[in-house]
Amino acid sequence: MINTKNKLILSVALLANAILWTGCSDDFLKEKTDYSKLTPEIYNDYTGAKMRVDDIYLRLLPDVNNGLSYRSTSSGKGDIQSRSTEEFSSLSNFVNPDVVITSSSNLDDWFHVSKNTSSGPWGEIRNCNDAIEGISKGTLADEQKRELLGQVYFFRAWQYYLLVKTYGGVPIVDKVQLTDVSEATDLIVPRSTAKVCIDFICNDLDTAAAMLPYKSGDFGRVTKGAALALAGRARLLYASPLFNRADDESRWKAAYEANQAAITALNAGGFNLAYQSAPGVNAAGWSKMFSDFNSSEAVFVTLYNKVHDDDAAHEIYRNNHWEQTIRPKNTNATTSNSGMTPSAMMVDLFPMADGKKPGQSEYAYNPLTFFANRDPRFYRTFAFPGVYWRFEGNPKMWPKYDSGGNVIGNLDADYPYSGENYVLWNYSWYDTETNRNDETKIGFGADLLGTNYRGVYVRKRSNDFDMTSPAPTCLYRWPATSSENRQGAFGEAALPWMEIRYAEVLLNFAEAACGYNRLTEAKDALIAIRQRAGIPAGSDGSYGLGDLSTRSEMFAAILYERQVELAYEGKRFDDMRRWLLWDGGANFSQIANAPSTWTLSGFGGNTCTYLGVEPLNGKRRDNFEICAKTNASGSHASDPLKTVRPLPLDLKTDATTTGNTTMDNLVTFYTTYLMRKQNRGDEVGKVIDYKPQYYFIGLTSGAQSNNTSLLQTIGWADTQKGNQNGTFDPLAE
Amino acid sequence: MEKKNIILSLFLGLLLAFVCSTQLYAQTRTITGVVVGEDEQPIIGATIKVEGTTTGTITDIDGKFSLTAPANGKLTISYIGYISQTLAVSDASRVILKGDVMKLDEVVVVGYGSQKKAHLTGSISTVAPNEISDLSVTSLASALGGMMNGVAVSESGNRPGAQAKIIIRNSDNVPNSPTAGLLVPLYVIDDYIADENAFNNLDASMIENISVLKDAAAAIYGARSAQGVILVKTKRGQVGKPKISYSGQFGYTDEYYRSKMLDSYNFGQIWNAVRAADPSDTSLDSQRHLFQADELEAMKGMNYDLLDKYWSSALTQKHSLNVSGGSENATYFAGISYVTQDGNLGRIGYNRWNYRAGVDAKINKWTKASMQVSGDYGKTTKSNVRVGGTNDEKDYITLLTRPRYIPEYVNGYPIAAYGVTNGKIESSQEYNYNMVENLGNSKVNMPSNMTINGSIEYDFGWNRILKGLKLKATYSKSISTTKDNEFGSSYTLYRFADGDAGRGGSGYHLYTSTDEHSLNYDGLTTISVDNGSYLRRNMSRADNYQINFIATYARKFGLHDVSGLFTIEKAESESEYVWGNVTLPYSFTNQQSNGAGGEQTTTFNRSESGVLSYVGRVNYAYADRYLVEFLIRSDASTKFAPENYWGVFPSMSLGWIASEESWFKENVTFMDFLKVRGSYGILGRDNVAAWAWLPTYGSEVVKGPIFGSDPGISAGAHFQIPNAVPNRNSHWDKSYKSNLGLDMNFLKSRLSVNLDGYYDKNRDVFMTVDNAPEYPSTVGAAASPSNYGATDNYGIEISLGWRDKIGKNFKYYVKLNTGYSDNKILKAPWKNAASRELDDIMPNQRYDRGLWGYQYIGMFHSYQEIAEYFDDNQLVTYLGKSQADVHPGMLIYNNVRGSQKADGSYYAPNDPNDPEGNKIDKNDRVQISKYRSNPYGFTVNMGGEWKSLSFSAQFSASWGSYTMMPTEAIQTKSVISTGSGYDVMQYTNLPSFWAGNMFVYEDVLDAQGRVVAAQNRDAKYPNLRFADNGLSSTFWKVSNTTIALRNITIAYALPKAWVTKVGVESCRLNITGQNILDFYNPYPDKFMSPLSSYSKYPTLRKITLGLNVSF
């Protein structure tokens, strides 16, 4: 028997016990798991965390097929950016004198897109922040964390770089924010100035560089060199006249150091100018690097595959449609692609074979025989009537259609080539002289091109058979029948896209070195690039560059070299913005309320004058075609020159060698039978007019209404404040 | 040690501790006595307890009792419905109990215990099971309709097994609620937190008491109580010899009302008038597109009324058997019941078994333990219709609305419901009720639930200081499983050839012959119809447990009545399911996966959650007059992030029983009881999806980036952030509830009046927010459901009761419930002013924006009138149509407003500045009714008793709003159809009121020039051809007023003298009718009833005979 006291004690003890076991802790709640989805547990597993990083690659690697977007850069096609430069005619909204881009019209919104994780830069940044926080807090070994985090920091910086180069200054969101509407005011992040943004980007890239390897075992992943190269690009952007109106030397110095560090790291990782020691004939090496799946040139690269996938929904394919875009229609019968026409301006500005500009070169420049004696890179950048442009495949097999779309036999009967013998004969002819002289009229193209011929084709980065002998393995699948390839000829292609390649890093370095008055180092970089292209050293050993004794001459040479080396790689629009090349930066005072700091005080107050180039504003771009002097009717059979065609130019032999009879015969053929006909590029009577406020893109009304506290950029209407002029100054310090 | 073992050992520990304690003995004697009522009739089953002990007994059939008690002790004698008495042992030989009119001793379950009704300070409604036990329901909530003020019951349908839903004080008025299904009250059964299904599955015969906590009193269930709490206490054993009671119901169910449809002949004429109504329609072929005169003549004799063929009244029955009894040391209760309701169509139906058994044992004087096991298993069989889209109502709708000239079988061939054009307008035409029925296609749901409760209680009554303190530990565990079987197969129908080679009649429209053209079987072709063609199983199992440690204290110190409660509650639940599907069952299928030849799919998953709570309650009463209650509950839920697990919900209530004051007793004679009470507290909601706070990732096995050196590698897997991103910040939303109540009894308690006024401020209310401008895009994700909104809910509730006798034998009562409630939305994601429509929610307006529609001002009778209307109003377009597309037979709507301006306001009609010009469009709508549902109404529950005969009835009325006639009745539109336009009429019949009442511009002539629809320009209703006539408008408004006798019971208790002879204690017979009568039908031709719906499974009228016997 237990006495009362004991019972009391026992009871109290039991009570205490009971409270303890039921009540003391809510830990059991924390053990609950959500089984319906993957939880942050994935960050504790290397494969899981890597899958997250791969998602960031998928979302943020520039994709050439997407066209311009908040996450994909220009990739050489005739997009709104390239049509604002010398590369393509046809007035984009940026340069159309009749269009005023405002925050509510004609403006692409790359700032907001939508409040969504799957579209828009902020969704991408959230994705990165989530991975950074997840991996950092996870339980992976430090080494694994560093390997993965380095990649994520790189991509966060990349997305910010894309925003900053467009908008000048943007909000910096460096953590995963709540998605709680009731806390909305706490979530507001104001725009930071360019200085703060660039520092943030470079800081991320330094972090990334410290974590990333010199060379990744998994080609296509970013490296230390890539991170430092992007930092170099960002520093150069900040040193450029667009941001550096007063020509502050310290910014050039920072850019110089950043790019120098990048080169050191890249070299350590085995990156260099591909084929520098073996340029090959007609820049064959330079050309081949674009279609090398694993190139030492590829600093920051998006890889594609050529997996055959007959179900669009499977999406195990990731293709680069560049080859399909650039190839002439008569190789491409099943798709609407029919090649791209470069502007005449671009064709005419390439150097001559000695590396000097037309007019300054020892080689005379004849606009009709524009292909004679040009920079070796010219032949790999453009295709023209009378040149081989071989490929793997055989369009002869393809069905031939009448105008109603009915099959009327095979192309075979009329068509002269198989892929391995393909020659581009894209000259044209007209039925009357009046039509031939009318720049708006289209003639009839040879070799079944019909009205789909281009005067000159962009050939750059083509994965063609004319680079090496024997022919290279192609990165595209060319189907024997049209039904075999869901995406059409050249559609299933794995051509890599080099967003940053080694030559660009060298050019970035050269420009920064020039800005920092290291002219010799700048020139050495240019020489290396020209050497790799196969330009002869010349008697002065300057590879056609000449003395370049002043900073401005050197800057001009570097920008010219960029224009040539990086032609149709989507870089020119940014270069023109950086250097204010539409108006030399002389018109900032036209912007209402523009601060005095916006006026260009460095570079002589006008970059165009400083560089000795003509501003693009006020100019009109044309295209041209090569047409027969003789008229004929518009049918394949009535080709007036078919029988007198000379042997085509084979790029496997040196085009510039004097005594190259093929070249000589082709020149003769041109001068005898053909004429250069100007085709309308930009609209008649209109000249390029890029307005000074476009140098910093404003926020769209949509972006503003979805982020009501954001300040509009000076020069753009603030739709949240009754269309008053914006007040945000990206250049404020 | 595992958790379960800890719990077990604790129980054993507690058990051991108290088994050892001793009982105290004193000098005792044996007392015998008899208990009678005021009418000198013996009271059977009255409880006699020795005060201060748990010793007791109950009276026998003659009202006699016998027990041992201390010679100087006191006895408490109590019986339900009578005022308890406490007497010295010596005075107990003959006890006269007085009827308890005021029910001051009535005890109300209030959560973790009970309270004297008189001491309540919160707004709590109760229902005694005998008030609802005569009703035949398969879902307990259905029986509660109209029983309690502020407690609304809505039926989810009328099919067997349909579950009813309870909404307390309109607490579901939450716009943009992320999980509308969670805006339901919290259900607590025997202190175990259950759910709506568990509540609905209870059997009334096993229930002791149902309480509904409507105000801050619900804060005892804090976090999840903002929608109110429904508490159920089930029956326990009573001391005494075994008492066996049986209750049975036998009855039938039948449709309350069947919608009246057009007969074949009138349908044919209407079709002709509709098809030919548009003079600009040049496609009309007067032979092929119209019923010809000979066909119409033949249709007069056709009436393939399929609903009538297949509909039948159905049986419903219920049997429950309960046993209870016990000794002083142990009581027991066991019950079993079976309820079944057959369907009125085909194989649908519902049945359920319930069982419940419990023992309350006294281990020693101070220690009690109880065990209970209960459960149910049921089966609902539904029709399975997947032809032309899944729709559970399709069977009924197609039977009701099939045009009556189209038979189901022709000469034994099952045919599709192809109308005039003999072609398929949409797949639903190929649904053939009888074919699907014969194939055995159905959906069967078989849930089964089992709950085990155990508790042990220790009383510190032996200790001078701790007296009044009780400690209790309870453990409840429930296991719920469900099994769903679905089966859909395929079948073949027949179609006649087109034109001359096929159907009968001169226009080839009939499935019989006419003199002019005979039916031709030669061209019959088959149609293969797929009713899903699949077999499916879903098995799920959910395990829940709840464990409580409860300390209660109740003690009286003179006039101070103090009680308190503290409990810790922990609950966890987990559930898993396996789902399997296989397609293409063989025609001879055994309905197992080996009986099908198609693709097999299986998924399975698991979910889990947990709750931890601390609960406290303190009650203080002084002199039974001044009452104070303080409640606090703190809950932690895994629906929120760990830092937001906890929510604290306090409430306070006060009461003053003025009638207990001596000055009141001395001076107020007309009033017997007056209590003023008020409560204020914070309650919570967690109506967000589980895990909405946790970052989650989706996995995609394709589309990934390419790495390496092989251009042939496939784009592989990656883990992505879903668009629905977590809101780690989400926390309990809050409801600040205040309630002021007045309880009064007048005129010797014959009249009782209860008044309650409440005002609930809901704040931080969870809402989905698609577009909040202040939420910046830089967050990089869509806004998650957030604690964003604010709403106010308020109202008054008035209950009046009258209870009296006429003469000696006739007793009667009348109870009236009425009130008014309203709400205001203070904050919600409003639409921008410029895009906000007239009927969208607006700041500071009620959730119910009323009924909006066009203002009818006439009907176009001629093109002249149309031209004049366009001219007079300078109309650009009329409902998007140019003048050429407007025809006679269309309704004329008034030009009320111009277009909407950027600030949300409107241009005046005919304003020359209106940039859009004059249009009749959605901006011209007017508010047809301020409310969508009736704001006013009352329910009367009444009853009477004359000797052994008694009756009770429920009568209800509501009014104050208008509604639209069902769109399917006023347009060529079908509930089951996605199509629109007159072609829907090819396979859809219309209500009877159209016959002879539809506008016909000119005589419609068939191919032979015979009139097949006569001109009717004075018709009351517009032509069905024009869909705009069916828009919501004042033309079609009907009063929403309903006045109905919901149910009535007449009962007869067999005289005791008769039944006792055969060993029966009591026997009662009753007849009960539900959904008896309505008194107001505003619909034309009364084609439908306001109590039923136009084209869905109808409201059922139930008539049941009941038998209650106890032994």
Side-chain angles (χ1 to χ4, degrees), chain B residues 631-814:
Chain B
L631 292 175
I632 187 158
R633 180 169 179 130
S634 183
D635 272 23
S637 162
T638 51
K639 280 195 175 177
F640 304 113
E643 64 272 22
N644 293 320
Y645 274 172
W646 291 96
V648 180
F649 301 93
S651 83
M652 169 103 179
S653 54
L654 301 168
W656 175 44
I657 304 178
S659 54
E660 288 291 310
E661 301 282 359
S662 54
W663 54 264
F664 188 101
K665 286 180 176 165
E666 283 159 22
N667 298 312
V668 184
T669 50
F670 65 95
M671 196 188 265
D672 314 299
F673 181 75
L674 171 63
K675 181 163 81 174
V676 185
R677 54 189 162 74
S679 68
Y680 181 77
I682 308 174
L683 292 85
R685 279 191 194 91
D686 61 351
N687 62 324
V688 282
W691 304 107
W693 61 273
L694 183 74
T696 54
Y697 302 90
S699 81
E700 192 171 45
V701 295
V702 292
K703 294 188 193 173
I706 310 288
F707 299 114
S709 52
D710 176 10
I713 194 169
S714 292
H718 56 116
F719 292 161
Q720 52 204 164
I721 298 189
N723 275 331
V725 293
N727 179 1
R728 203 176 167 100
N729 211 23
S730 67
H731 51 268
W732 297 96
D733 77 21
K734 294 182 186 69
S735 184
Y736 300 84
K737 297 201 174 200
S738 46
N739 190 88
L740 195 62
L742 212 53
D743 300 325
M744 295 171 285
N745 288 354
F746 299 91
L747 307 173
K748 298 199 157 95
S749 292
R750 282 178 297 174
L751 174 66
S752 63
V753 178
N754 303 91
L755 299 173
D756 270 295
Y758 63 92
Y759 202 102
D760 300 345
K761 295 177 167 206
N762 301 304
R763 297 295 180 266
D764 290 359
V765 179
F766 276 112
M767 289 188 184
T768 51
V769 186
D770 297 329
N771 185 29
E774 69 269 32
Y775 173 77
S777 61
T778 45
V779 176
S784 315
S786 303
N787 301 87
Y788 183 74
T791 67
D792 282 2
N793 250 348
Y794 49 93
I796 52 164
E797 291 162 0
I798 303 166
S799 299
L800 302 172
W802 178 260
R803 184 181 286 275
D804 202 1
K805 274 191 223 181
I806 298 176
K808 197 172 176 197
N809 291 323
F810 186 69
K811 290 192 275 186
Y812 70 98
Y813 69 89
V814 180

Side-chain angles (χ1 to χ4, degrees), chain A residues 368-388:
Chain A
L368 173 61
T369 56
F370 58 91
F371 53 88
N373 299 313
R374 300 300 292 271
D375 181 319
R377 290 171 291 187
F378 178 91
Y379 304 99
R380 304 295 182 177
T381 305
F382 304 105
F384 42 87
V387 68
Y388 274 112

